[in-house]
Every structure is written in C-alpha cells, then in structure tokens.
Amino acid sequence: MTTSAVLAGLGSYLPPRRVSNEELSERFDTSDAWIHSRTGIRQRRWADVGVSTGDLAYEAGHRALKSAGLGLGASVDAVILATTTPDHPCPATAPDVAHRLKLNSAAAFDVSAVCSGFVYGLTIAASMIESGHAERVLLIGAETYSTILNPEDRTTSVIFGDGSGAVLLRSGTPDEPGALLGFDLGSDGSQKELICIPAGGSRQRSTHLPPAPQDTYFTMQGKKVFATAVRRMEESSTALLNRVGWSIDSVDHLVGHQANLRILYSLAEQVRIARDRVVTNIEQVGNTSAASIPLALAHAAEQGRFKVGDRLLMTAFGGGLTWGSAVMTWPDVSPS
Ligand code: COA
C-alpha cells in the first residue's frame, strides 16, 4: 500500500485581545454595519506589543503536539511554518519555534505564500512523508498582521487578524481517516502588486534609499483581488476534485480561506456546494492569512462539526498571487 500523510493532531491559539468593529470605528471612518456587511467580520484578535508570530506559532505547535498525544521534545522530523509575518527577514522563524518546542534536530523552514501558505505547507509536508523523507511533520500557520497594517488604511485594518493553527502529520495509509489524498497549487506573478509590502526586501534596498514609511506596510487592491480569488479557488477546487474522482456532492465540508464571507459564499455558489457545508469562523477572527485554514479546522472540530471519515475540501488564495487546494478525510482527533 502507498504511504499517505495522516492528520494526527490539531492545535490553535488566538491572542487574548479582542478588537471589535466598534473599537475600529472609533479609530477610522468606518462602522460595524459596513465591516460586517462587506466582509462578515465582527471582531478579530490582535497580539499585544512584544508578542511575535513565533510566539503564536509556538502555542499552536505545542497544542498540536498535545492533540497527537505527543509533547515537547517529541520525535518530529520537520517543522514548517507558513507565515507572511516572520519574526525577522533573516533567519526563518521555524528553527526558533522548533528549538522552543525542543524538536532540536528537526529540519525547520518557513513557507512564504501569503494566505495560501498553509495549503502550500500541507503539500510540502505530505510530500516529505509520502517520499519517506519524514515520519512526522509539524505544520504551523501563524500570523501577526497587526504588525504590518498601515494605521491609516481603514480597508486592510478592518480585515486582518492575528492567530495561529497547527497540524501534526504522520506517516500512514490513504484508507485511514485523516489521510491527505490530493493537492493542487498554482501562481500568477504578473499580479504581484495586488497584495504587496513594497519595502524591506532587496528590490527596495538595492536603491540605497531609505523606504517611505507607507511602503513598509501591507497593501491590497481589494476589489481586483476579490474576483480573482473566487475564480482561482473555484478552478483549483474543481481540478483537484476531478483528479481524485470526488464529486462536489460527496464533499461534506468546504474549508476555504477566511478572506471575506462574500468570497466564501460566491465560491460555494460557483462550485455548487450548499452554504451549510461551508465552514466559517471569519466573523470572530477576521482574515488570519496563513493561519486561516488551520484555525477554521480547529474551531469547526471543537464544535463537533466533523465526523470521522467526512470528506473535506480545503482551498486558499493569496498574495503572489498564489492559490491551492487539498482534500482529506477527517480523523478521530480532538483539537487542543
Ligand atoms: N469602512 C467604510 N468604508 C470603506 C472601508 C471601511 N473599512 N474600506 C473601504 N471603504 C469604502 C471605499 O473607500 C469605497 O468608497 P468609495 O466608493 O467612496 O470610493 C467603498 O467603501 C467601496 O470600496 P471597495 O474597495 O469597492 O469595497 P468592496 O466592496 O470591494 O470591499 C474589501 C472591500 C477589501 C472588503 C473587498 O474588496 C475584499 O474583501 N477583497 C478581497 C480581500 C481578499 O480576499 N484578500 C485575499 C487575500 S488575503
């Protein structure tokens, strides 16, 4: 029998500070009515000053280990951190997280695919397991977007939140509940400017000029992103379902990137899946980018929404532009 990656543990963490739409309405020319009707978001969490992405990643990673019946210092072959907001431009944040989890000799690296990062990471982690390079991989999606939001940009400031989610994948077989059964990834760099932090990398540094302050913040052309996001996730999901031979009617749960509730429902309409099979937690957490899908998985699992053997379709879209989808069956795990 072929080897598959199997989900064996699931953890999530949200920083305690809740930022409501009302609080943002005091700071920006906006309102709860606008934010909720345009995005589906009521509140998000923002990390306190001094708390980094690595700190959030550690918490979710530790919880995923515990959920898998493991602990600090467990035998794990690789730690992959999907993030847009690493602790430093260099080095990657994953080795520090691995060290703090006492997974000291594990391979550790970051994946940079913005909101698609978790699905990219799943594909890499599963490939490492399927090829025999790893028995166990800890994949974490973690973000502190509050550190890169322009305090003068009401549009991005109301959308993004901080948080982390993690899965522990182990070597298993495709017939086991929890098996990851297929992937689809894509990109279109010709539209890189739609989601971008202009400064801080070699492109800006090569000019030897200091960056303009506004160029150090996250920027997004929301309207253009909206239509492309729906189309790319629909195409990716459909291609993957065809490849693995699943009909959309056989999918129990669509776990899409929580970018905007209207995007999720447009996607559901395009792929023809009923809204009650769409997993959503954006109302409570906002768009948490690479942490979005593992947080949505953890929150739905905590609510008892998934049954063992249920079929899940995950799909994401983000800066790059990048997109990706993955399918799995649901295992007997309790999130921590
Ligand atoms: N409060 C009140 N008004 C706001 C606002 C806010 N927070 N943000 C923008 N507006 C205003 C705009 O200035 C604009 O005003 P104008 O018509 O007078 O110029 C109006 O609302 C409409 O702006 P627009 O950008 O067309 O809104 P939208 O309906 O497209 O919604 C987003 C904006 C960002 C919510 C939406 O485009 C979106 O979700 N895009 C995709 C984001 C995404 O998926 N990212 C994925 C990768 S992370």
Side-chain angles (χ1 to χ4, degrees), residues 260-280:
N260 180 318
L261 197 60
R262 292 188 296 135
I263 290 181
L264 282 171
Y265 287 157
S266 299
L267 171 67
E269 213 168 277
Q270 294 293 318
V271 298
R272 297 173 192 281
I273 192 165
R275 281 192 184 184
D276 63 4
R277 286 191 274 156
V278 180
V279 168
T280 66

Side-chain angles (χ1 to χ4, degrees), residues 2-23:
T2 51
T3 302
S4 277
V6 173
L7 194 152
L10 175 63
S12 70
Y13 178 77
L14 291 170
R17 188 161 111 69
R18 292 168 201 267
V19 180
S20 67
N21 290 350
E22 286 76 13
E23 181 178 337

Side-chain angles (χ1 to χ4, degrees), residues 9-65:
L10 175 63
S12 70
Y13 178 77
L14 291 170
R17 188 161 111 69
R18 292 168 201 267
V19 180
S20 67
N21 290 350
E22 286 76 13
E23 181 178 337
L24 293 181
S25 304
E26 288 168 17
R27 205 180 305 175
F28 300 100
D29 179 14
T30 189
S31 64
D32 174 56
W34 192 95
I35 301 169
H36 192 250
S37 65
R38 304 313 290 163
T39 69
I41 300 166
R42 287 272 187 221
Q43 64 169 16
R44 70 291 293 142
R45 305 291 185 97
W46 282 358
D48 288 328
V49 172
V51 175
S52 75
T53 293
D55 297 331
L56 304 191
Y58 168 83
E59 294 294 341
H62 192 192
R63 289 162 193 221
L65 289 173

Side-chain angles (χ1 to χ4, degrees), residues 70-293:
L70 304 168
L72 299 179
S75 167
V76 170
D77 303 299
V79 176
I80 304 175
L81 173 61
T83 188
T84 320
T85 50
D87 286 4
H88 308 280
C90 168
T93 306
D96 182 46
V97 175
H99 167 70
R100 290 164 67 185
L101 292 168
K102 303 195 189 306
L103 310 175
N104 281 322
S105 57
F109 56 96
D110 293 358
V111 169
S112 175
V114 198
C115 300
S116 312
F118 186 78
V119 176
Y120 269 68
L122 265 184
T123 311
I124 298 165
S127 302
M128 290 176 79
I129 289 171
E130 287 165 13
S131 64
H133 285 296
E135 283 282 319
R136 284 191 192 134
V137 179
L138 179 63
L139 168 64
I140 309 170
E143 301 283 14
T144 48
Y145 262 63
S146 59
T147 62
I148 57 169
L149 292 173
N150 183 340
E152 292 179 358
D153 180 3
R154 64 178 175 177
T155 307
T156 50
S157 291
V158 303
I159 293 175
F160 290 92
D162 301 342
S164 56
V167 292
L168 191 283
L169 302 180
R170 65 163 173 82
S171 177
T173 54
D175 57 344
E176 288 182 71
L180 283 144
L181 296 170
F183 306 92
D184 179 79
L185 300 180
S187 76
D188 176 8
S190 73
Q191 294 196 290
K192 64 181 182 186
E193 75 287 347
L194 294 187
I195 294 171
C196 183
I197 300 176
S202 64
R203 177 72 65 199
Q204 179 270 317
R205 284 166 185 249
S206 66
T207 64
H208 304 295
L209 295 170
Q214 68 271 17
D215 286 348
T216 62
Y217 293 121
F218 178 86
T219 63
M220 179 174 75
Q221 296 179 39
K223 225 176 187 47
K224 287 187 185 158
V225 168
F226 193 111
T228 313
V230 174
R231 180 168 63 86
R232 292 300 191 181
M233 287 194 284
E234 188 273 319
E235 287 170 356
S236 173
S237 299
T238 304
L240 179 57
L241 292 180
N242 286 340
R243 205 175 309 142
V244 297
W246 288 8
S247 71
I248 190 68
D249 293 337
S250 74
V251 173
D252 297 292
H253 310 279
L254 172 64
V255 187
H257 168 48
Q258 308 285 308
N260 180 318
L261 197 60
R262 292 188 296 135
I263 290 181
L264 282 171
Y265 287 157
S266 299
L267 171 67
E269 213 168 277
Q270 294 293 318
V271 298
R272 297 173 192 281
I273 192 165
R275 281 192 184 184
D276 63 4
R277 286 191 274 156
V278 180
V279 168
T280 66
N281 67 343
I282 188 169
E283 187 171 51
Q284 297 304 319
V285 300
N287 180 341
T288 57
S289 194
S292 170
I293 286 185

